[in-house]
Amino acid sequence: MEKDQDKILNDVTTGEYKYGFYSDIEMDRIPKGLSEEVVRLISGKKNEPEWLLDFRLKSYRHWLTMKMPTWPNLKIPPINYQEIIFYAAPKERKNLKSVDDIDPELKKTFDKLGIPLEEQKHLSGVAVDAVIDSVSIKTTFKETLAEMGIIFCSFSDAVKEYPDLVKRYMGSVVPYTDNFFATLNSAVFSDGSFCYIPKGVRCPMELSTYFRINSANTGQFERTLLIADEESYVSYLEGCTAPSRDENQLHAAIVEIVAEKNAEVKYSTVQNWYPGDREGKGGVFNFVTKRGMCKGENSKISWTQIETGSAITWKYPSCILRGDNSTGEFYSVAVTNNYQQADTGTKMTHIGKNTKSTIVSKGITAGHGQNSYRGLVKVLKNATNARNYSQCDSLLLGDKCGAHTFPYLEVDNQTAIVEHEATTSKIGEDQIFYCNQRGISTEDAIGLIVNGYAREVINKLPMEFAVEAQKLLQISLEGSVG
Amino acid sequence: MLIINNLKASIEGKSILKGISLEVKPGEIHAIMGPNGSGKSTLAAVLAGREFVEVTEGTVTYLGKNLLEMSAEDRAKEGIFLGFQYPIEIPGVSMVNFMKTAVNEHRKHKGLDPLSASDFLKMMRDKKELVEIDSKLANRSVNEGFSGGEKKKNEIFQMAMLEPKLAILDETDSGLDIDALRIVANGVNKLKRPDNSFIVITHYQRLLDYVIPDVVHVLYDGKIVKTAGKELALELEEKGYDWIKKEIENNLVA
């Protein structure tokens, strides 16, 4: 492990975004722009049932009445929704039965990203759902998982094969009226992953979704729905990349998690959308709504995120702690370098008795980056003995970047104990010199210090991804102290 | 080993070192003593390659090379070690990880393969014994939450790990109780070999009870005003720095 880690870290020699390539895949795209017609067209492309079209239309009509939020500490240029293509999918080949039937260009794309679609080649113990632009291409290990009753498939397949489950849970955690971007997603979402872990089952492998934006001028609007039935356990990962382009691209996703009684869900994200170039040109707008509901007693939902990509990030993976004794956790490392901006954090809503939440947020900012932590801890009237511990730290590299903290507390129960700690530090020249004097180069010194700072969060990730995350942190910050 | 010739240096335009010359041969221990503000730590900083000190004149030759042209990390890899007067804390970075990175950088520089995890841990164990450092320190973050004495012992431990050719100890003895002082001194004595050298910078004579110097220099106002054998340290202890000051003033008058 240590050796692999060193090797990977040493392999990193250039600070360029290495997933910036574009694949020439035959695509089915609809005309750009957004209207009720477009919503119907998307639904039609996917042969959706009436109830789902209704859900989309309801969302679209509501969206027309909404305005983009202005409270984030972000400078977002105006977005022209009539210039975005809302649906793009690789042209389907008929009778897609085995991996061999997948467009070789597509397979190559995922191989290049290190995500082989052939099961035998894949990291053992990880099942992958690969999503490119608007659709899911391939879900590995589907059959193996099905033997245990685990459903892991694309959202579109779930709509066809398990409509009752989708109907019951979709929108139950993030309602279609929730917020501007969630409502937009509810109207035009294209695909995503669906996962159901039945009662009493411990999912034997990591489930993961790999998101890739490929087409130009295309928005990505995926939806993930994850249901952990009573006494079940699952660890879920998502990764994301996009080609380097001069124009901004919109990504507005929804993740909904439901944890029933005694269930536990770990959800990890390594977000590496294209961040834009050194001058701040291009990059993905990552406006995402992620929320989990600890519905049953003793349930637990844990979010871990490593956010290194995107020009602008706006996301608050949250937990609604409804079940008594339920637990919510949020561990985050957010990096902003060059002209990247991030306004990220979490919401922990304590409803049940003896509910517990932990928030650990580590912001790292360099260049002209702006990094804000925004978190809400809300304890409702009946949440007796609620506990929260929040820690948000900021690390600054250089003197042109900014770190901001916006903690909100709303406590309506006197028995609650809420703690908040915050620190801001700079990588000091003294620290770097100390490393230099022991023979460690400045670049490696920053890598050591940053990874040391983020260790608490990185340790929460599954092994393979922890290594990936360390590597990413180092790349994202290369050249930031000179 | 090291030849310093007429070295002048300033910090933010203020002249601190005003023409220092000295030569350290392999196997020698040199002590540099002097009152506060005489330029002792600035000299250490110049030798280690700190950028805030500007060298305005003079040369420093280390193993036949122009030291002043080398980066701080290259000097380290070529065998120069600085024991810091105020060791720096690096939160979140474990001593093990820190030392492993440093040791392997040194090995890479010598064209050697990185040490295996087990060989490295064995080396850590051996060296820890040598400097009587608490095992637990190695698992903690670099200097974080260490007491003053622990920090100084940790410097000696790192010196033992990196096996430098020239170690510069900048007031490693300040703020130490007698036990810690003895441990630090023993560390130096055990690491002393015919082919490596030490420059021990100190304000007080007491470290020199344990570490016997071959040469003692007295630094005053940016210049070496006296150089002699170990007996000079004792004389200084007895008469105090005022004696040196007076002597210099008398010389000026004369």
Side-chain angles (χ1 to χ4, degrees):
Chain A
M1 172 64 199
E2 284 279 344
K3 246 196 165 161
D4 285 354
Q5 193 171 311
D6 291 347
K7 189 180 169 299
I8 292 171
L9 288 173
N10 289 339
D11 281 350
V12 178
T13 47
T14 139
E16 297 299 307
Y17 184 76
K18 59 174 197 177
Y19 305 102
F21 63 89
Y22 165 74
S23 316
D24 193 9
I25 300 163
E26 243 193 299
M27 297 295 281
D28 174 15
R29 291 187 188 84
I30 64 168
K32 62 186 182 185
L34 182 56
S35 64
E36 202 163 302
E37 276 325 292
V38 167
V39 175
R40 285 177 193 280
L41 189 61
I42 293 169
S43 186
K45 287 255 177 214
K46 306 180 78 69
N47 295 316
E48 282 175 355
E50 198 65 27
W51 60 266
L52 194 50
L53 176 62
D54 287 346
F55 177 86
R56 287 178 181 278
L57 290 173
K58 212 163 50 174
S59 307
Y60 176 67
R61 287 171 196 145
H62 186 74
W63 183 74
L64 291 175
T65 69
M66 300 171 94
K67 282 204 172 70
M68 202 161 105
T70 52
W71 48 262
N73 186 24
L74 300 168
K75 286 195 187 104
I76 308 173
I79 299 170
N80 184 348
Y81 292 90
Q82 300 312 328
E83 287 297 319
I84 295 173
I85 296 170
F86 283 82
Y87 182 87
K91 275 214 175 112
E92 219 172 316
R93 300 194 165 188
K94 276 177 193 140
N95 300 323
L96 194 76
K97 284 226 174 68
S98 81
V99 179
D100 301 332
D101 296 330
I102 297 176
D103 183 340
E105 253 321 296
L106 257 179
K107 255 201 300 194
K108 248 195 261 165
T109 304
F110 280 94
D111 279 343
K112 243 169 147 173
L113 296 169
I115 316 285
L117 299 176
E118 290 94 342
E119 290 178 4
Q120 65 274 21
K121 275 197 198 164
H122 208 274
L123 285 167
S124 55
V126 183
V128 178
D129 184 23
V131 177
I132 192 155
D133 292 335
S134 301
V135 297
S136 164
I137 302 304
K138 161 83 183 159
T139 310
T140 60
F141 294 105
K142 222 163 148 176
E143 291 76 18
T144 321
L145 292 167
E147 283 165 21
M148 303 184 75
I150 296 171
I151 303 168
F152 181 44
C153 63
S154 72
F155 202 90
S156 309
D157 287 349
V159 170
K160 289 192 192 89
E161 290 164 42
Y162 313 98
D164 293 344
L165 279 175
V166 176
K167 239 192 213 169
R168 193 159 125 213
Y169 288 105
M170 183 179 73
S172 70
V173 186
V174 181
Y176 74 91
T177 52
D178 195 80
N179 68 69
F180 187 80
F181 295 111
T183 303
L184 176 64
N185 175 290
S186 300
V188 301
F189 73 89
S190 35
D191 211 337
S193 303
F194 175 84
C195 169
Y196 172 79
I197 315 290
K199 241 183 212 180
V201 172
R202 244 191 109 82
C203 186
M205 52 178 90
E206 306 278 348
L207 301 186
S208 86
T209 305
Y210 195 90
F211 295 107
R212 171 79 181 165
I213 296 178
N214 189 50
S215 302
N217 306 318
T218 308
Q220 179 145 331
F221 306 92
E222 81 277 352
R223 243 189 129 94
T224 300
L225 179 55
L226 216 159
I227 303 143
D229 215 328
E230 293 179 13
E231 325 270 337
S232 69
Y233 167 84
V234 62
S235 168
Y236 198 95
L237 308 155
E238 67 173 17
C240 357
T241 59
S244 311
R245 288 213 172 81
D246 284 349
E247 67 275 12
N248 297 110
Q249 277 183 292
L250 177 62
H251 170 251
I254 291 181
V255 176
E256 285 181 286
I257 300 177
V258 178
E260 300 283 2
K261 193 173 157 188
N262 294 323
E264 182 180 348
V265 178
K266 270 186 76 158
Y267 195 103
S268 313
T269 304
V270 176
Q271 186 266 106
N272 188 23
W273 295 117
Y274 177 56
D277 69 10
R278 274 168 201 283
E279 275 74 50
K281 204 168 175 203
V284 171
F285 292 166
N286 188 35
F287 301 154
V288 174
T289 305
K290 289 181 168 177
R291 198 173 301 151
M293 167 90 78
C294 286
K295 205 168 163 191
E297 294 166 32
N298 301 314
S299 55
K300 179 175 175 183
I301 293 176
S302 179
W303 298 99
T304 304
Q305 59 172 16
I306 308 291
E307 303 279 319
T308 59
S310 297
I312 306 180
T313 296
W314 176 93
K315 74 182 256 204
Y316 314 90
S318 303
C319 297
I320 300 170
L321 303 169
R322 212 171 80 184
D324 289 348
N325 308 314
S326 60
T327 306
E329 293 176 340
F330 173 75
Y331 297 97
S332 168
V333 173
V335 178
T336 51
N337 193 5
N338 299 322
Y339 285 87
Q340 282 177 279
Q341 308 174 60
D343 191 308
T344 184
T346 184
K347 281 190 287 188
M348 293 290 176
T349 310
H350 293 253
I351 301 173
K353 295 183 178 55
N354 305 316
T355 45
K356 272 197 308 204
S357 62
T358 305
I359 299 171
V360 176
S361 162
K362 304 265 182 182
I364 301 170
T365 183
H368 292 80
Q370 291 294 328
N371 209 321
S372 301
Y373 165 80
R374 188 183 302 276
L376 168 66
V377 176
K378 192 170 178 170
V379 178
L380 272 60
K381 221 164 81 193
N382 295 326
T384 317
N385 294 324
R387 296 275 181 279
N388 163 265
Y389 171 74
S390 302
Q391 180 194 335
C392 27
D393 299 332
S394 308
L395 184 67
L396 297 159
L397 287 81
D399 54 8
K400 291 182 184 69
C401 50
H404 318 268
T405 308
F406 304 96
Y408 303 86
L409 283 178
E410 291 173 21
V411 180
D412 287 328
N413 184 307
Q414 298 226 332
T415 61
I417 296 179
V418 178
E419 287 173 80
H420 181 93
E421 284 179 27
T423 65
T424 302
S425 47
K426 266 186 95 161
I427 290 193
E429 272 175 42
D430 284 350
Q431 288 176 326
I432 290 176
F433 181 73
Y434 194 71
C435 294
N436 288 160
Q437 214 301 306
R438 300 305 183 240
I440 301 167
S441 70
T442 299
E443 202 120 289
D444 289 345
I446 291 170
L448 262 179
I449 295 168
V450 165
N451 276 305
Y453 166 79
R455 191 170 61 172
E456 208 178 333
V457 174
I458 290 175
N459 282 349
K460 297 282 170 188
L461 289 174
M463 193 86 105
E464 302 86 342
F465 289 79
V467 175
E468 180 80 22
Q470 289 198 350
K471 184 175 69 171
L472 255 181
L473 283 185
Q474 183 139 352
I475 304 175
S476 330
L477 290 167
E478 240 158 60
S480 55
V481 170
Chain B
M1 178 76 68
L2 182 77
I3 302 166
I4 302 176
N5 190 16
N6 190 30
L7 180 69
K8 294 186 183 172
S10 58
I11 297 174
E12 288 173 355
K14 188 171 178 257
S15 158
I16 310 279
L17 301 182
K18 301 171 180 171
I20 288 185
S21 301
L22 65 85
E23 182 177 358
V24 179
K25 296 200 174 76
E28 285 182 349
I29 297 181
H30 285 232
I32 296 182
M33 302 183 72
N36 290 329
S38 57
K40 299 188 301 282
S41 289
T42 304
L43 178 60
V46 169
L47 296 178
R50 281 227 85 156
E51 279 171 6
F52 67 78
V53 187
E54 198 196 339
V55 174
T56 51
E57 215 183 304
T59 58
V60 181
T61 311
Y62 169 68
L63 297 174
K65 288 182 201 154
N66 180 355
L67 184 74
L68 300 176
E69 275 181 356
M70 292 160 74
S71 70
E73 67 256 36
D74 284 341
R75 295 180 197 198
K77 287 186 281 195
E78 284 288 333
I80 291 187
F81 177 90
L82 174 65
F84 284 65
Q85 183 177 5
Y86 304 107
I88 309 296
E89 300 190 2
I90 311 180
V93 178
S94 71
M95 269 310 293
V96 176
N97 202 4
F98 181 68
M99 269 340 297
K100 205 173 88 180
T101 310
V103 166
N104 284 334
E105 283 300 322
H106 277 75
R107 291 180 64 89
K108 196 162 91 188
H109 187 70
K110 290 181 194 140
L112 299 170
D113 285 335
L115 278 180
S116 72
S118 60
D119 285 348
F120 176 75
L121 291 174
K122 188 179 172 304
M123 180 179 173
M124 287 267 289
R125 258 198 317 274
D126 294 348
K127 305 290 183 183
K128 267 187 299 201
E129 266 169 42
L130 188 73
V131 297
E132 300 174 49
I133 194 172
D134 189 344
S135 272
K136 273 177 257 156
L137 286 189
N139 299 322
R140 284 164 51 186
S141 295
V142 179
N143 292 323
E144 194 187 28
F146 286 25
S147 70
E150 284 171 340
K151 281 183 183 171
K152 296 295 176 72
K153 277 197 262 176
N154 191 25
E155 294 292 293
I156 301 298
F157 166 66
Q158 293 177 48
M159 179 173 80
M161 290 291 289
L162 297 173
E163 298 178 335
K165 295 192 184 101
L166 174 65
I168 303 155
L169 303 179
D170 187 7
E171 303 213 17
T172 304
D173 55 331
S174 64
L176 290 186
D177 61 31
I178 200 76
D179 285 336
L181 187 70
R182 188 184 47 78
I183 290 170
V184 166
N186 276 348
V188 173
N189 289 330
K190 283 180 194 163
L191 293 168
K192 191 188 163 189
R193 288 197 316 252
D195 60 342
N196 64 13
S197 312
F198 291 84
I199 296 177
V200 179
I201 295 174
T202 180
H203 185 80
Y204 304 103
Q205 187 271 335
R206 57 174 196 164
L207 177 66
L208 304 178
D209 286 340
Y210 301 93
V211 176
I212 310 300
D214 299 295
V215 185
V216 177
H217 308 274
V218 178
L219 193 62
Y220 180 74
D221 192 25
K223 281 185 203 137
I224 289 175
V225 292
K226 227 176 171 56
T227 296
K230 62 181 182 220
E231 65 287 351
L232 177 58
L234 294 167
E235 200 173 351
L236 264 180
E237 179 77 0
E238 207 176 296
K239 300 185 180 167
Y241 286 112
D242 285 345
W243 160 62
I244 293 280
K245 284 181 201 170
K246 272 190 199 126
E247 197 162 280
I248 290 164
E249 279 154 19
N250 289 343
N251 284 347
L252 285 178
V253 174

